[in-house]
Each structure stands twice: as C-alpha cells, then as structure tokens.
Amino acid sequence: MTRADALQRISELREQIHHHDYLYYTEARPEISDAEYDALMRELRELEAAFPDLVTPDSPTQRVAGQPVDAFRPVAHRAAMLSLDNATSPDDLREFEARLGRALPGTRLAYVCEPKIDGLGIALLYERGRFVRGATRGDGRVGEDITANLKTIRSLPTLLRGALGGVPELEVRGEVFMPRADFEQLNRGLQESGEGTFANPRNAAAGAVRQKDPAVTARRPLDIFLYHVSEGRELGFRTYSDTVAALREAGFKTNPRTEPCATLDAVIDYCRRLEADRDALGYDADGAVVKVDSLEQQWRLGSTTHHPRWAIAFKFAARQATTVVQAIEVNVGKTGALTPVAKLAPVPLAGVTISNVSLHNEDEVRRKDVRVGDTVLIERAGDVIPYVVQVVMSKRPADTVPYVFPDRCPVCGHAAARLPGEAYWRCLNTACPAQLKARLRHFGSRHAMDIEHLGEAVVEQLVDRKRVKDFADLYTLTVDEVADLERFAEKSAVNLVAAIQASKTRGLARLLNALGILMVGERVASLLANQFGTMERLLAASETELNEIRGIGDELAQSIRRFFDDETNREVIRRLAEADVEMAQPGVETERPQPLAGRTFVVTGALSSLTREAARELIERLGGRVTSSVSKKTSYVVVGEAPGSKADDARRLGVEILDEAAFLKLTGRA
Ligand code: IVH
C-alpha cells in the first residue's frame, strides 16, 4: 500500500471509529457489534504500525498513550473556575430570584436546571476541534494537566464536529464522574484482589484522574458531562440552552436531565423531582444547578470572586453525616445469628434521625475497626438502610480499644459459636427467648403469615410471660389473655386474636416461609409448596428427593431435612395442623404429572394473557423452573411484547424461543 493510500484509509477508519465511539459511549446506541468495532481498530493499528509517522495524538489508538509521569504540569486557567452559591430550600431559591430582580430591574428571567454532578470539575481545551489539553480545577486558578488521563474517557471526543469544530481555541468545562454501578463493580474487584476500596464514586473518580499511569486510568470506568463553554457569547450563543445544544452537536455528552424552566415555580418543581429521582440517575448528584438562561443576562450579572451571580446550586438533603458511636450492642436474630449494632448519638440524615446502624458481622467490625467512642461517617444511599462508610480516624480518642465480639449470647447467656465458613456468630440455645421473639415477629410478618397487630411489644410480653413458647401457642391465645397484657385495650385484643385466626388460611408457601427454616425464604418456600402441594408430602421427602428439585442445592436440601427431622419442629407442625392452620397449597394438585420437570424458562417482555409472575407460577406448578438470565442451559425463552436483550441472547445461544401462543400451548392453556 502506498503512503497516500494508507493516509486515506487511516482517516476513513478514524472517522468511523470516532463515530462509533460517539454512538456507543455518548448516545448509548451502538450500530455495530463489538467484533466489527474491534476489526476497525485492528486495521487502524496495523496501518499505523506500518506508517508510524501517520500517528496523530487524536487517533483513537492513542486513547491510552503517554508514559507514566512523576508529577502533573500546572495549568493556569484562562478564567478562574469558580464555585457555586448554595440554596437549601425553596425560600433560598426565591431569594436568589429576588436578587436577580434587583440587579436586572424590569427584565424577564428564565432558567435552565440540571443535575449537579458529584464529580470533579475539569476544563478541556480544543484547538480547531482537536483536543489538546485537559486540566483539573485545582484551586480554581491553577489546575493540573491531566490530558493523557482524560483522553482515556471514551465519551470525551478527541475531534469535534459541527460549528464548534472550527473554533480556533475553545474551552469547555464539565464534570468527570464514575457511574454508580461501575463504581460498585470496581470496588468488588479491588476487594477480591485484596486492594483497598474507595469510599464513594467521587473518590474513585478523583483517584482515577490523578493516576500517574494513564493505562491505569483507562481501566477505570469514568464518564463525563460538559456544561460550560467559556466565551460562549463571543461565539454567538444567546442562551445557555443554545450552548448545550451546540455542545451536543459537537459530540460532547451533555446531561439528558437538562431542562428549561420558564419560572421559578418550575425551577422549584424541577429540584423536587430531581431529588425524588436521584437514585435512578445512575450517578451521584448532590443537587441541582439553576442557571439564568440568557447569556446576556449572565454577562450583566457577572461574578463574585467565589461564584457566578447567575447560577445557584440547590443542594439535596445530605445523605452522609458524622456522629459518635456510643455503644456497640449485639442483636439476636431468628436463627440465633448475632448482629453487632452501633448505637449512635442521634443524627439527622436524609430526612430521618439515625440512632442505630448495623455493623453486620464480626469481620465487618474488624475490617472497619469501629470502636466505642469513634466518630463515624455514615451514609444512606437511596432510601436504604444507613451504614458506616468509615471511621474518622483523626477524631479517634486516645483511649479506645478494638471491639471484641462476645462468645456468649447477650440475651440468654448461652454459649455462642462461629462455625467454619460462616460469617455469623450464633447463639447455640434453641430455646433462647431472643431467638423466639425474632422468629415470632418473622412468623407474623407481611410476607409470612401476615398477622396484623402482632407487633414487637406484644411479642415481647407474650414471650417474657412464657405464654407463647412456639408458633402453635399463638393459635390458642384468647381475647382475655391478650387484653391482660400491658397497654392492651379490649378492642385491640379482639383485633389481634381475629388476625391470628385469619392467618390460618394463608397456605403452605407462606407457612413454610414463616417457619424460619435456615436458608428458606419466600422463593424457596413457594418452590417447595408448588412441588409438594402438602406438608405431609414435604415431610416425607428425602434429602435426595429435595436435592433433585431445580433450585435446591445440597446445603439447602440438608437444611430443610434437618429442620423436619427435629422432633420439636414436627410437634409444632402437628399442633399447628390441629389448630386448623392450612397445610396445603391451594391450587396445587399433588398427584398431577409434572410435564415441565427439568426444563428452565426465561420470560421476557409483556405477555397479554397473564402477568410475568403468573407465568412463573404456571411454569413452576408444572414442574419447570424460571431463571432471570439466558444461558446455554435455558430450555426456552418466552418472548412477549417489547422483549429486552434476553431475546437476542436466546438467538445468539440458539435457545428455543416461544411466543405467547406457543407458550400457552406448551403449558396446556390453549
Ligand atoms: S456550573 C461558572 N453545572 O459544582 C459556573 N457546575 O460547587 C460553573 N458542578 O465547580 C459551574 N455539576 O465543578 C455547573 N451541572 C453543573 C455542575 C457543576 C457539577 C460542579 C462544578 C463546580 C462545582 C461548584
């Protein structure tokens, strides 16, 4: 090949690869397969190897290039990278608007809102559309040159398209971040290989952009949103919305949640909606940024030395807080598992007051080295339960001692043990009242026997007075006995006894879940109920028989058998039956053949004649099994309306696909 031909082909390949990078990393809608993409890259690499003088810094092959550095070069920002003023309430936002009104009397104001990404501010420099330099914010005036690291971010265009591609010198600003799912995966990997993990995505992203070796950064899943063009007015943009549109057209990734808001009420509504959605964003956002849309107005408003006057950050309620560990207590679960719990000085966190946080198990306490007297950083990610992120070591008092896990049950004083391979210490006393209380609470819980009014206070008293020693005792309770309990009015006693009686007809699946058999939760319980239909048949099933059921492995089969071999448990079941507690699963014909035994199904998309859940029950009732992902072992993929990638997986793996009609035929419903 001549040099001229190579040059021609190289530029074609680069253009195609840039285009596919954009589709894949920025738009998330690839048009070619990974293999086709790899082939383009391979061809480009080979040509560049044959003609090394044709390699340019913006070539896709140069994403991960450059030698490790000892220190980053300082970069003076052309204009200071400012901070943002904060608002924490709608009133603060109204005050912001009032300030704007005073500064620009008689003008109409309109806004644009977008998520405030909890990442790292960066500034990118492009010369005639070529990415030439990227810098950290630093102290706002001088940052660090991290060009080589930024180039590894695949959604960052190295060549711009459209009008911005022709600008002699263009500076754009944005935020580098690590998507939450990628962060979690990275941490899992680091943990498995015994390396230190990151406390949050922001720290992980900060660590990645300041890596001395770009090859390491390249393995870190970073992403970037751009939100600012310096000198936008000089470039002819009239509004921030125009600017964002131009950024998008140039190939930059801009935030899809960017929204124009014509009034402050719309702004407040946006902030409220975004806060409600914050967990669905896929990345950490700590607020919303509200910006005056008109660039002319922005220019007239100007900036303080700290922040622009035309923008404000509405901060979401904090989900991290620090507080002091006042004590570490140990709770006893329904299987005797001992769970350490840190008692905290109460602290508000994302709308609730936190005074307890689970430390999970001995290893976790040891790993985090949480001690009584420590100040801890706690976090509530989403609406989930708070957890300890880390101890604030700088605040550790001099006299703390490492926590020693007790080897006795804190409630009954019986010996506790941690069996090999188990994460938990367990109280070995099956008659432990704390275990019984936890078991009873579980028995009455919503997904088990669903006994309304069987709250913690009742259970406490019933056990402490030795009136209830097992599940069966519940069904012999009289209204008088319950009314006799402390803080129990006649009416509530009637309600509780009625609720207990009503729970008799919940069916076998719920009963099995309620019994609290080790490793048997809602799913396994319903699997067993559907397979055996009655308690009698289940009691008679051997370990081998149990083990033969898809979805029930050795350990589980053993645990089930061990439970039913225990004479005390059999006695309780006998007495439950005597009390007329339903021991069969309604709708399961026990002697019916199981035509789908041994077959696995994946159901994807919406079916018109039954819900996915109903399809699952149907399959399981006929002896089949349902899994969530397609593998070579899957027997059938049932495809409804708007199926997801699972249908593609099935085609790729050659798994038989059933449409709804074929599925109904197979299951005898049509
Ligand atoms: S605009 C000149 N928009 O928040 C005004 N900033 O606390 C520039 N940030 O330094 C800021 N998301 O690093 C803007 N959508 C967004 C943002 C955002 C995150 C960061 C930015 C800024 C810091 C201020």
Side-chain angles (χ1 to χ4, degrees):
M1 186 182 275
T2 68
R3 197 170 176 286
D5 289 344
L7 183 59
Q8 168 72 22
R9 181 66 188 143
I10 282 176
S11 70
E12 277 169 21
L13 286 166
R14 285 181 188 160
E15 190 150 318
Q16 285 178 30
I17 293 168
H18 280 304
H19 175 66
H20 292 298
D21 275 347
Y22 175 77
L23 289 176
Y24 187 94
Y25 294 103
T26 303
E27 301 259 293
R29 48 174 188 95
E31 282 176 356
I32 58 172
S33 70
D34 289 0
E36 286 168 300
Y37 179 88
D38 291 345
L40 294 175
M41 261 314 226
R42 201 173 324 115
E43 190 185 346
L44 179 59
R45 264 206 199 91
E46 282 164 11
L47 281 174
E48 287 184 350
F51 298 91
D53 60 315
L54 296 181
V55 178
T56 58
D58 55 45
S59 171
T61 60
Q62 303 302 301
R63 285 261 180 204
V64 188
Q67 296 305 309
V69 291
D70 289 331
F72 299 109
R73 277 190 308 118
V75 173
H77 296 301
R78 293 140 62 99
M81 287 181 77
L82 298 180
S83 202
L84 285 169
D85 197 9
N86 286 333
T88 52
S89 66
D91 278 348
D92 288 350
L93 291 173
R94 288 198 184 90
E95 208 170 287
F96 168 65
E97 177 161 71
R99 276 199 301 278
L100 297 176
R102 286 194 293 276
L104 304 171
T107 46
R108 220 172 61 86
L109 292 160
Y111 308 92
V112 175
C113 295
E114 61 190 17
K116 182 173 187 303
I117 314 295
D118 194 8
L120 298 128
I122 47 90
L124 309 176
L125 189 65
Y126 286 81
E127 286 175 3
R128 298 214 172 278
R130 279 173 204 282
F131 175 56
V132 293
R133 195 187 68 202
T136 61
R137 176 174 185 273
D139 64 5
R141 293 157 38 89
V142 179
E144 289 176 316
D145 185 334
I146 52 162
T147 311
N149 288 345
L150 289 175
K151 242 161 92 174
T152 65
I153 303 175
R154 307 297 290 265
S155 53
L156 182 151
T158 53
L159 274 180
L160 302 184
R161 303 180 302 203
L164 289 182
V167 176
E169 280 205 336
L170 176 75
E171 194 206 48
V172 296
R173 293 181 180 178
E175 205 80 1
V176 171
F177 63 96
M178 189 177 290
R180 230 176 203 290
D182 293 312
F183 160 74
E184 275 152 20
Q185 195 181 347
L186 171 69
N187 258 1
R188 274 196 298 277
L190 290 173
Q191 191 161 6
E192 272 160 29
S193 59
E195 293 167 75
T197 54
F198 292 101
N200 54 48
R202 187 177 190 283
N203 288 5
V209 297
R210 299 195 74 257
Q211 278 294 332
K212 297 290 155 69
D213 181 357
V216 177
T217 311
R219 291 197 296 272
R220 298 284 156 88
L222 294 174
D223 206 344
I224 187 169
F225 279 129
L226 283 306
Y227 49 66
H228 185 79
V229 173
S230 309
E231 291 125 26
R233 272 184 85 222
E234 287 80 340
L235 293 171
F237 301 132
R238 292 184 45 248
T239 60
Y240 179 63
S241 311
D242 289 350
T243 315
V244 173
L247 282 171
R248 208 168 282 173
E249 213 180 279
F252 288 110
K253 192 159 174 170
T254 60
N255 199 305
R257 297 285 304 237
T258 306
E259 274 182 36
C261 293
T263 63
L264 198 78
D265 283 338
V267 166
I268 291 168
D269 181 59
Y270 176 92
C271 292
R272 201 171 290 138
R273 276 186 286 126
L274 193 70
E275 183 157 13
D277 285 356
R278 66 189 291 197
D279 298 317
L281 294 175
Y283 49 82
D284 282 356
D286 52 352
V289 185
V290 181
K291 301 174 181 180
V292 168
D293 195 22
S294 155
L295 297 190
E296 208 241 345
Q297 287 176 350
Q298 286 191 6
W299 173 77
R300 283 167 58 198
L301 287 160
S303 303
T304 71
T305 53
H306 172 261
H307 60 259
R309 291 195 190 85
W310 45 264
I312 196 161
F314 175 83
K315 296 282 235 174
F316 297 152
R319 293 205 294 194
Q320 282 199 334
T322 56
T323 185
V324 174
V325 177
Q326 296 174 324
I328 296 178
E329 290 179 0
V330 172
N331 284 351
V332 186
K334 65 183 196 294
T335 57
L338 304 184
T339 307
V341 178
K343 298 280 158 184
L344 306 171
V347 60
L349 187 58
V352 295
T353 301
I354 309 292
S355 44
N356 293 309
V357 59
S358 172
L359 299 172
H360 304 295
N361 56 49
E362 182 184 24
D363 292 346
E364 191 73 2
V365 182
R366 202 171 285 162
R367 194 169 71 77
K368 291 184 176 156
D369 190 18
V370 180
R371 306 178 182 189
V372 175
D374 268 338
T375 295
V376 286
L377 176 67
I378 57 170
E379 179 172 308
R380 261 180 99 205
D383 276 334
V384 299
I385 305 147
Y387 63 96
V388 171
V389 179
Q390 63 190 46
V391 171
V392 184
M393 286 298 174
S394 59
K395 292 202 179 161
R396 170 167 283 174
D399 58 351
T400 62
V401 288
Y403 178 70
V404 181
F405 210 87
D407 58 1
R408 302 216 149 257
C409 172
V411 176
C412 71
H414 197 285
R418 184 173 167 185
L419 301 176
E422 281 218 345
Y424 292 98
W425 281 80
R426 284 180 202 281
C427 164
L428 300 175
N429 173 16
T430 44
C432 171
Q435 280 184 52
L436 177 58
K437 287 172 189 171
R439 277 204 301 274
L440 287 167
R441 278 200 304 276
H442 171 73
F443 187 84
S445 65
R446 206 151 53 83
H447 292 281
M449 298 301 263
D450 194 13
I451 305 175
E452 230 188 305
H453 316 293
L454 188 65
E456 193 161 341
V458 193
V459 169
E460 283 283 318
Q461 295 190 58
L462 291 172
V463 173
D464 289 345
R465 294 180 179 205
K466 303 206 167 23
R467 174 57 188 84
V468 171
K469 298 202 187 67
D470 56 40
F471 304 136
D473 286 342
L474 285 175
Y475 292 92
T476 63
L477 282 174
T478 64
V479 171
D480 286 348
E481 280 174 317
V482 177
D484 196 37
L485 299 177
E486 266 167 54
R487 291 190 304 267
F488 239 80
E490 173 82 18
K491 184 153 175 286
S492 346
V494 172
N495 288 341
L496 174 59
V497 172
I500 292 173
Q501 295 305 316
S503 74
K504 287 179 177 174
T505 55
R506 300 280 185 252
L508 183 60
R510 279 168 168 276
L511 176 62
L512 289 173
N513 178 22
L515 290 175
I517 305 166
L518 204 58
M519 299 170 68
V520 176
E522 223 180 324
R523 247 198 72 75
V524 176
S526 94
L527 196 65
L528 291 172
N530 286 323
Q531 286 284 334
F532 294 98
T534 66
M535 184 68 92
E536 202 185 346
R537 292 187 66 218
L538 175 58
L539 279 168
S542 69
E543 193 176 314
T544 321
E545 246 176 287
L546 288 164
N547 203 192
E548 272 165 7
I549 300 170
R550 289 270 194 145
I552 297 190
D554 297 348
E555 269 187 84
L556 186 48
Q558 227 174 59
S559 165
I560 297 166
R561 208 44 264 166
R562 203 181 310 126
F563 181 89
F564 290 121
D565 283 341
D566 183 295
E567 197 37 53
T568 321
N569 293 335
R570 293 179 88 96
E571 176 60 21
V572 170
I573 291 168
R574 247 191 315 273
R575 287 176 43 230
L576 285 171
E578 263 167 38
D580 278 337
V581 173
E582 174 83 63
M583 294 280 155
Q585 188 62 7
V588 180
E589 301 152 33
T590 52
E591 299 307 328
R592 176 192 31 112
Q594 304 233 298
L596 301 185
R599 315 272 181 88
T600 42
F601 290 73
V602 170
V603 185
T604 175
L607 302 174
S608 61
S609 62
L610 68 180
T611 63
R612 283 238 286 271
E613 188 54 21
R616 183 172 75 83
E617 276 172 17
L618 176 60
I619 292 165
E620 285 177 356
R621 213 172 320 132
L622 299 177
R625 197 166 71 103
V626 179
T627 61
S628 58
S629 60
V630 184
S631 78
K632 271 187 281 190
K633 291 192 191 136
T634 308
S635 321
Y636 303 104
V637 174
V638 181
V639 174
E641 274 303 311
S645 58
K646 289 172 191 170
D648 302 332
D649 293 343
R651 260 171 239 122
R652 194 162 42 77
L653 295 168
V655 173
E656 187 169 340
I657 294 180
L658 299 178
D659 61 14
E660 186 164 350
F663 171 66
L664 293 174
K665 195 151 170 243
L666 180 77
T667 51
R669 306 282 125 162

Short mmCIF file of all heavy atoms in Angstrom, two decimals, residues 82-84 114-117 121 137 175 227 289 291 308 310, ligand 1:
data_model
loop_
_atom_site.label_atom_id
_atom_site.label_comp_id
_atom_site.label_asym_id
_atom_site.label_seq_id
_atom_site.Cartn_x
_atom_site.Cartn_y
_atom_site.Cartn_z
N LEU A 82 -14.84 28.89 39.07
CA LEU A 82 -15.47 29.33 40.31
C LEU A 82 -16.29 28.22 40.96
O LEU A 82 -16.53 27.17 40.37
CB LEU A 82 -16.39 30.53 40.02
CG LEU A 82 -15.67 31.77 39.49
CD1 LEU A 82 -16.68 32.88 39.23
CD2 LEU A 82 -14.58 32.23 40.44
N SER A 83 -16.72 28.53 42.15
CA SER A 83 -17.59 27.63 42.87
C SER A 83 -19.04 28.05 42.61
O SER A 83 -19.28 28.90 41.75
CB SER A 83 -17.23 27.75 44.34
OG SER A 83 -17.64 26.62 45.01
N LEU A 84 -19.98 27.49 43.34
CA LEU A 84 -21.38 27.89 43.18
C LEU A 84 -21.93 28.30 44.54
O LEU A 84 -21.57 27.76 45.57
CB LEU A 84 -22.22 26.72 42.65
CG LEU A 84 -22.07 26.36 41.18
CD1 LEU A 84 -22.75 25.03 40.88
CD2 LEU A 84 -22.66 27.46 40.28
N GLU A 114 -30.20 21.67 35.82
CA GLU A 114 -29.61 20.37 35.52
C GLU A 114 -29.01 19.78 36.78
O GLU A 114 -28.83 20.48 37.77
CB GLU A 114 -28.56 20.50 34.41
CG GLU A 114 -27.41 21.39 34.76
CD GLU A 114 -26.52 21.69 33.55
OE1 GLU A 114 -26.96 21.49 32.41
OE2 GLU A 114 -25.39 22.11 33.78
N PRO A 115 -28.72 18.49 36.76
CA PRO A 115 -28.15 17.88 37.96
C PRO A 115 -26.78 18.46 38.28
O PRO A 115 -26.02 18.82 37.38
CB PRO A 115 -28.02 16.40 37.58
CG PRO A 115 -28.99 16.20 36.47
CD PRO A 115 -28.99 17.50 35.71
N LYS A 116 -26.51 18.58 39.56
CA LYS A 116 -25.16 18.96 39.99
C LYS A 116 -24.43 17.66 40.25
O LYS A 116 -24.72 16.94 41.22
CB LYS A 116 -25.22 19.80 41.26
CG LYS A 116 -23.85 20.26 41.72
CD LYS A 116 -23.97 21.23 42.87
CE LYS A 116 -22.63 21.85 43.25
NZ LYS A 116 -21.60 20.87 43.58
N ILE A 117 -23.52 17.35 39.35
CA ILE A 117 -22.81 16.07 39.41
C ILE A 117 -21.80 16.10 40.54
O ILE A 117 -21.03 17.06 40.65
CB ILE A 117 -22.04 15.81 38.10
CG1 ILE A 117 -22.91 16.11 36.87
CG2 ILE A 117 -21.48 14.41 38.05
CD1 ILE A 117 -24.05 15.22 36.72
N GLY A 121 -14.60 18.77 38.73
CA GLY A 121 -14.65 19.79 37.69
C GLY A 121 -13.37 19.74 36.86
O GLY A 121 -12.27 19.57 37.40
N ARG A 137 -9.56 21.22 38.23
CA ARG A 137 -9.92 22.55 38.71
C ARG A 137 -8.79 23.12 39.58
O ARG A 137 -8.52 24.31 39.57
CB ARG A 137 -11.21 22.43 39.52
CG ARG A 137 -11.64 23.72 40.16
CD ARG A 137 -13.00 23.54 40.81
NE ARG A 137 -13.51 24.80 41.32
CZ ARG A 137 -13.23 25.28 42.52
NH1 ARG A 137 -12.44 24.62 43.32
NH2 ARG A 137 -13.73 26.44 42.91
N GLU A 175 -17.75 17.93 34.14
CA GLU A 175 -17.56 17.14 35.35
C GLU A 175 -17.25 15.69 34.98
O GLU A 175 -17.98 15.08 34.21
CB GLU A 175 -18.87 17.22 36.15
CG GLU A 175 -18.74 17.01 37.61
CD GLU A 175 -18.27 18.25 38.38
OE1 GLU A 175 -18.05 19.32 37.77
OE2 GLU A 175 -18.10 18.10 39.59
N TYR A 227 -20.83 21.15 30.57
CA TYR A 227 -21.92 22.10 30.80
C TYR A 227 -21.54 23.57 30.63
O TYR A 227 -22.31 24.44 30.97
CB TYR A 227 -22.51 21.90 32.19
CG TYR A 227 -21.48 21.82 33.31
CD1 TYR A 227 -20.70 22.92 33.66
CD2 TYR A 227 -21.30 20.63 34.01
CE1 TYR A 227 -19.77 22.84 34.67
CE2 TYR A 227 -20.36 20.55 35.03
CZ TYR A 227 -19.60 21.66 35.35
OH TYR A 227 -18.67 21.57 36.34
N VAL A 289 -28.32 22.36 39.63
CA VAL A 289 -27.77 23.68 39.37
C VAL A 289 -28.81 24.47 38.59
O VAL A 289 -29.34 23.99 37.59
CB VAL A 289 -26.45 23.61 38.58
CG1 VAL A 289 -25.84 25.01 38.44
CG2 VAL A 289 -25.46 22.68 39.26
N LYS A 291 -29.50 27.82 36.47
CA LYS A 291 -28.73 28.83 35.74
C LYS A 291 -29.67 29.79 35.01
O LYS A 291 -30.68 29.35 34.45
CB LYS A 291 -27.81 28.15 34.71
CG LYS A 291 -26.84 27.18 35.34
CD LYS A 291 -26.03 26.40 34.32
CE LYS A 291 -25.12 25.44 35.08
NZ LYS A 291 -24.27 24.62 34.21
N PRO A 308 -20.42 32.64 40.31
CA PRO A 308 -21.18 33.48 39.40
C PRO A 308 -22.50 33.90 40.06
O PRO A 308 -23.07 33.13 40.83
CB PRO A 308 -21.45 32.56 38.21
CG PRO A 308 -21.28 31.18 38.71
CD PRO A 308 -20.33 31.25 39.86
N TRP A 310 -25.18 34.42 38.44
CA TRP A 310 -26.29 33.95 37.60
C TRP A 310 -26.63 32.48 37.81
O TRP A 310 -27.46 31.92 37.08
CB TRP A 310 -25.98 34.20 36.13
CG TRP A 310 -24.57 33.81 35.73
CD1 TRP A 310 -23.49 34.65 35.65
CD2 TRP A 310 -24.08 32.51 35.37
NE1 TRP A 310 -22.36 33.95 35.27
CE2 TRP A 310 -22.71 32.63 35.09
CE3 TRP A 310 -24.68 31.26 35.26
CZ2 TRP A 310 -21.91 31.55 34.71
CZ3 TRP A 310 -23.89 30.17 34.88
CH2 TRP A 310 -22.51 30.34 34.61
S1 IVH B 1 -21.87 25.23 36.52
C1 IVH B 1 -19.19 29.02 36.33
N1 IVH B 1 -23.09 22.95 36.35
O1 IVH B 1 -20.01 22.12 41.05
C2 IVH B 1 -20.17 28.04 36.85
N2 IVH B 1 -21.28 23.13 37.85
O2 IVH B 1 -19.77 23.57 43.55
C3 IVH B 1 -19.68 26.69 36.72
N3 IVH B 1 -20.74 21.07 39.05
O3 IVH B 1 -17.12 23.91 40.25
C4 IVH B 1 -20.49 25.70 37.42
N4 IVH B 1 -22.33 19.84 38.13
O4 IVH B 1 -17.36 21.51 39.29
C5 IVH B 1 -22.11 23.64 36.94
N5 IVH B 1 -24.27 20.96 36.10
C6 IVH B 1 -23.28 21.66 36.66
C7 IVH B 1 -22.41 21.08 37.62
C8 IVH B 1 -21.42 21.86 38.20
C9 IVH B 1 -21.31 19.87 38.98
C10 IVH B 1 -19.60 21.39 39.92
C11 IVH B 1 -18.55 22.25 39.26
C12 IVH B 1 -18.42 23.46 40.14
C13 IVH B 1 -18.93 22.95 41.44
C14 IVH B 1 -19.39 24.07 42.31
#
